[in-house]
Amino acid sequence: MIRDARPDDLPALRSVFERASLSNAGDRSALAAHPEALEFSWPAAPSARCRVAVDVLDAPVVGFATTTEAYGVVELLDLFVDPDRMRRGVARSLVDDVVAWARANSARRIGVDGNPHARGFYEAVGFVVEGEVSTEFGPGLRLLIL
């Protein structure tokens, strides 16, 4: 089940964010050198949305996606799943939710700056690689759903 995040979800969002970030062996050393990057904060943009995946209503958060929207472009800022729940369709469901919302709100496209290790996932859910981007921790991919 996917629902809007609530203020009382923040501790769970922070936990999922940190655990999921550290679950990627390729990112651990950079994150260890920059522990401040493991602190999730709610996006400040007025258009920010945060949707959470739960097993049933009022169950613990197992994943979440945050987005912003401006000028017909939805930006996927965060997509994180609890490591114990990875590879079970949670992230796909969250992306499907973002896509449905974007289409219902006449967005022209959805973009994300993704980690290269996640390329296969993003392509499997409909994103196409537009190019490379530079991130704080190295090269990334710019991906779009048009």
Side-chain angles (χ1 to χ4, degrees), residues 18 20-38 115 136-138:
E18 181 176 348
S21 297
L22 292 171
S23 72
N24 180 6
D27 293 338
R28 278 190 211 122
S29 61
L31 293 170
H34 298 277
E36 70 281 1
L38 290 171
N115 196 317
E136 183 179 355
F137 298 112

Side-chain angles (χ1 to χ4, degrees), residues 21-71:
S21 297
L22 292 171
S23 72
N24 180 6
D27 293 338
R28 278 190 211 122
S29 61
L31 293 170
H34 298 277
E36 70 281 1
L38 290 171
E39 295 177 22
F40 173 78
S41 59
W42 209 278
S47 67
R49 293 178 71 237
C50 184
R51 301 280 285 167
V52 298
V54 296
D55 287 325
V56 293
L57 191 60
D58 294 326
V61 171
V62 297
F64 70 95
T66 62
T67 59
T68 58
E69 186 277 330
Y71 307 107

Side-chain angles (χ1 to χ4, degrees), residues 121-139:
F121 166 77
Y122 282 116
E123 289 177 332
V125 296
F127 283 88
V128 294
V129 176
E130 181 183 51
E132 290 190 7
V133 293
S134 180
T135 73
E136 183 179 355
F137 298 112

